[in-house]
């Protein structure tokens, strides 16, 4: 049996982005109940050299839309990275989900050998579609999604593994 690149990417991105959106809703409720300044969580870092929560969500969505676009052979949509609230982060996730939902499975399946280039200058990387998905995009996507989850969990938001995994 052959593994479908579409099945290994789009449903995974949708599942985790959906769970992140639901986690953001729980976070908003937590903030209201505990009377926490939202900026305390939006700007929280696990360690001083790590990116803050808001960037973790932005980058996770960037990897989902970027990977999906590159596998489909279409331009990666540009986002401003200007989100400053949980509502704006949820809107970014919704926009990312709408974009990847708009890609045809036929455009992604068969992209295993598609040449994919990321970065520029000294940071240029060349991949095949399969290598890009499994060894670059998915690991980065999960790193940033997990870090966002960890920041919230560390700060007392009552979420667990079921919240992170979401529905599938």
């Amino acid at each position: 049996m052959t593994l479908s690149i579409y099945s290994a990417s789009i449903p995974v991105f949708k599942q985790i982005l959906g769970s992140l959106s639901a986690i953001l809703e729980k976070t908003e409720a937590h903030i209201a109940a505990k009377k926490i300044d939202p900026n305390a969580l939006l700007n929280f870092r696990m360690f001083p050299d790590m990116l803050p929560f808001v960037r973790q969500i932005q980058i996770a969505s960037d990897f989902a839309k970027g990977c999906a676009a590159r596998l489909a052979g279409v331009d990666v949509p540009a986002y401003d990275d200007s989100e400053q609230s949980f509502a704006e982060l949820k809107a970014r996730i919704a926009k990312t989900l709408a974009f990847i939902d708009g890609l045809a499975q036929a455009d992604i399946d068969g992209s295993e050998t598609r040449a994919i280039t990321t970065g520029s200058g000294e940071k240029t990387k060349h991949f095949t579609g399969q290598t890009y998905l499994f060894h670059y995009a998915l690991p980065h996507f999960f790193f940033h999604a997990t870090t966002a989850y960890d920041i919230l969990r560390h700060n007392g938001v009552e979420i667990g593994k079921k919240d992170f995994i979401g529905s599938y």
Side-chain angles (χ1 to χ4, degrees):
M1 180 172 117
T2 330
L3 177 66
S4 159
I5 291 295
Y6 178 91
S7 296
S9 60
I10 301 304
V12 175
F13 292 138
K14 289 171 63 172
Q15 177 182 340
I16 299 302
L17 288 173
S19 70
L20 286 175
S21 187
I23 286 170
L24 292 178
E25 289 181 21
K26 284 189 170 191
T27 301
E28 288 176 310
H30 175 81
I31 286 169
K34 302 289 185 182
K35 297 180 175 55
I36 298 171
D37 176 3
N39 289 317
L41 294 182
L42 289 165
N43 296 310
F44 189 88
R45 300 166 186 258
M46 292 295 291
F47 196 77
D49 69 350
M50 291 180 75
L51 295 170
F53 176 81
V54 69
R55 285 295 294 144
Q56 301 297 337
I57 297 292
Q58 290 167 341
I59 294 170
S61 74
D62 286 347
F63 270 98
K65 71 179 169 75
C67 179
R70 289 181 184 101
L71 291 174
V74 301
D75 291 336
V76 178
Y79 294 176
D80 290 336
D81 294 340
S82 60
E83 294 83 11
Q84 297 180 13
S85 69
F86 289 98
E88 290 173 349
L89 289 172
K90 286 192 298 187
R92 181 188 182 104
I93 290 171
K95 181 168 56 170
T96 303
L97 287 167
F99 170 73
I100 64 177
D101 272 339
L103 298 172
Q105 181 171 348
D107 293 335
I108 294 174
D109 279 341
S111 64
E112 297 85 353
T113 59
R114 176 174 282 138
I116 294 179
T117 302
T118 64
S120 62
E122 292 180 12
K123 294 186 176 188
T124 301
K125 295 188 183 311
H126 302 280
F127 304 95
T128 63
Q130 182 173 321
T131 301
Y132 172 69
L133 173 63
F134 292 122
H135 298 281
Y136 188 76
L138 283 175
H140 282 276
F141 172 74
F142 278 112
F143 174 85
H144 292 286
T146 301
T147 301
Y149 167 88
D150 290 344
I151 286 171
L152 297 177
R153 186 71 184 103
H154 174 80
N155 281 282
V157 179
E158 293 183 19
I159 51 177
K161 182 168 73 170
K162 286 183 180 182
D163 296 297
F164 181 81
I165 293 171
S167 60
Y168 49 93

